[in-house]
Structures are given as C-alpha cells and as structure tokens.
Amino acid sequence: AVGDGGNELGMGNCISAIHELPSVLPHGGGCVVGCDALVVCAASNYGCYGLLASLSLRVGEDLLPLEGDASADVVRSVNDGGAVDGTTARAEATVDGRPLDDTERCVRDLRSLLSA
C-alpha cells in the first residue's frame, strides 16, 4: 500500500504514530486497516512513481510515465469530472497542494537516477 496522510488503506500499520501527530484528518481519524508492505511518502503519487522507478531497475525497462503524462492531463480530467485536490479541497491542477511542476520534477529526477 502507498500512503501519505493517514487516511489511505494500509496506514493502519502506523496508526498510533499518526494519532500522535497534529492531524488534518477529521476527529483525529486515520485508516485502521493494515497491509503487508507500506510505502509512506510526501504524496502518494510520488510514492507510486518511486515504486515504478524501483520496478524499472528490476525489469530493465523505464516504467515511469512519459513527460506530461505524469499529471497535467490526468489531473485536469479528474477536475473536469468534479474531483478536488485532497489537501486544498479545490478543483485545481495540483497534487496534494503541490503544483504540477513538482510532480513533473519528481518523475524527471527519478528518471535521471535510472540512467545514472
């Protein structure tokens, strides 16, 4: 599982630590469902890109999204469908409150590590 804020499936593995932190979750919530393997990250998207980079190394093929595919078109499409940013609660082209440029930079940096 991949989680960033405590409400994602799998974050039950560290629910006691989540409850010790100042929470943005209502009622000090957090998911109580655990998992076998948990990746905790600043933004779930970034954690998934990290997993893709790791898998890329293992299989010898770049599995990361193409430039631009990482976020802009996808985020705008889900915004058009009524989705909002999980941090800002606004229909804007951001990922967990971060501008799309940050997501593109994350993918670019991971890709450069693959070629190093």
Side-chain angles (χ1 to χ4, degrees), residues 22-33:
S23 181
V24 295
L25 301 172
H27 313 298
C31 182
V32 297
V33 177

Side-chain angles (χ1 to χ4, degrees), residues 45-90:
N45 301 40
Y46 298 177
C48 291
Y49 297 143
L51 284 173
L52 285 172
S54 295
L55 289 170
S56 295
L57 289 173
R58 184 154 180 102
V59 301
E61 176 185 347
D62 185 347
L63 302 174
L64 288 165
L66 299 174
E67 293 293 322
D69 289 347
S71 55
D73 292 339
V74 173
V75 171
R76 288 186 184 97
S77 292
V78 297
N79 286 158
D80 290 346
V84 298
D85 182 291
T87 300
T88 66
R90 295 190 302 259

